[in-house]
């Protein structure tokens, strides 16, 4: 099933656009049930829930859902990358973001892989991690 075919996901988009975050989050939770154990889609939806919690000022819940997103698609580096970006750019948790980046880089280097239809290649992750780490190191040095 595609997101564009899921009524609950379409409800989420409409509600999120209207800034009705509690109802948008509820629609996402229903959408997660609709998609079941499809790892990529579940991880993506959980990340969206995390983002809404952040917008609502619920940082601990946001972190909880970023971790759930990682676990939902544990074989992919994409949820880990999103988490690192979140820690760096939204939370300003630069050292934690660098630690997450190092985990991603280690995985990408120890088991290199090519880009596929549903996953970026390890070279992409290495490049994105370098950008995040450079940003974090500059922020740390500037403080």
């Amino acid at each position: 099933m595609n997101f564009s075919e899921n009524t609950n996901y379409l409800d989420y988009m409409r509600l999120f656009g209207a800034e009705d975050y509690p109802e948008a989050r509820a629609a996402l939770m229903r959408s997660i049930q609709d998609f079941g154990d499809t790892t990529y889609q579940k991880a993506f939806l959980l990340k969206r829930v995390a983002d809404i919690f952040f917008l609502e000022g619920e940082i601990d819940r946001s972190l909880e859902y970023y971790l759930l997103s990682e676990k939902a698609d544990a074989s992919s580096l994409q949820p880990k990358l999103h988490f690192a970006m979140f820690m760096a750019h939204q939370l300003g948790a630069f050292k934690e973001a660098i630690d997450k980046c190092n985990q991603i880089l280690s995985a990408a280097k120890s088991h290199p892989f090519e880009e596929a239809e549903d996953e970026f290649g390890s070279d992409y992750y290495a490049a994105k991690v370098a950008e995040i780490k450079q940003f974090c190191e500059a922020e740390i040095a500037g403080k």
Side-chain angles (χ1 to χ4, degrees):
M1 175 187 322
N2 294 320
F3 292 124
S4 62
E5 299 168 346
N6 183 268
T7 306
N8 287 313
Y9 187 77
L10 296 174
D11 286 346
Y12 148 73
M13 290 178 50
R14 179 181 51 76
L15 292 161
F16 185 83
E19 298 182 6
D20 185 350
Y21 299 135
E23 289 301 317
R25 186 171 14 88
L28 278 173
M29 298 307 280
R30 290 189 302 272
S31 189
I32 289 169
Q33 292 175 347
D34 294 342
F35 282 96
D37 291 332
T38 308
T39 57
Y40 169 78
Q41 291 166 323
K42 185 174 183 178
F44 175 81
L45 295 168
L46 289 165
K47 180 215 175 291
R48 294 285 189 216
V49 172
D51 292 340
I52 290 174
F53 276 126
F54 178 75
L55 290 171
E56 294 175 312
E58 295 190 45
I59 306 304
D60 289 341
R61 296 293 309 271
S62 183
L63 292 169
E64 174 188 341
Y65 275 82
Y66 266 102
L67 288 171
L68 289 172
S69 175
E70 274 191 74
K71 289 178 184 176
D73 196 4
S75 65
S76 174
L77 295 179
Q78 192 167 20
K80 291 172 181 48
L81 180 66
H82 287 153
F83 197 2
M85 291 168 53
F86 173 74
M87 286 189 288
H89 298 290
Q90 272 71 40
L91 293 184
F94 305 120
K95 290 181 181 179
E96 293 85 350
I98 289 170
D99 289 345
K100 183 68 68 180
C101 286
N102 289 336
Q103 293 172 13
I104 295 166
L105 189 57
S106 175
K109 284 186 173 183
S110 65
H111 298 93
F113 53 93
E114 296 296 319
E115 185 173 334
E117 184 176 322
D118 61 348
E119 180 70 279
F120 296 110
S122 53
D123 290 342
Y124 171 84
Y125 288 105
K128 292 303 286 182
V129 160
E131 290 174 17
I132 296 167
K133 286 176 70 172
Q134 182 179 20
F135 170 78
C136 290
E137 289 164 356
E139 290 294 314
I140 291 169
K143 290 188 174 189

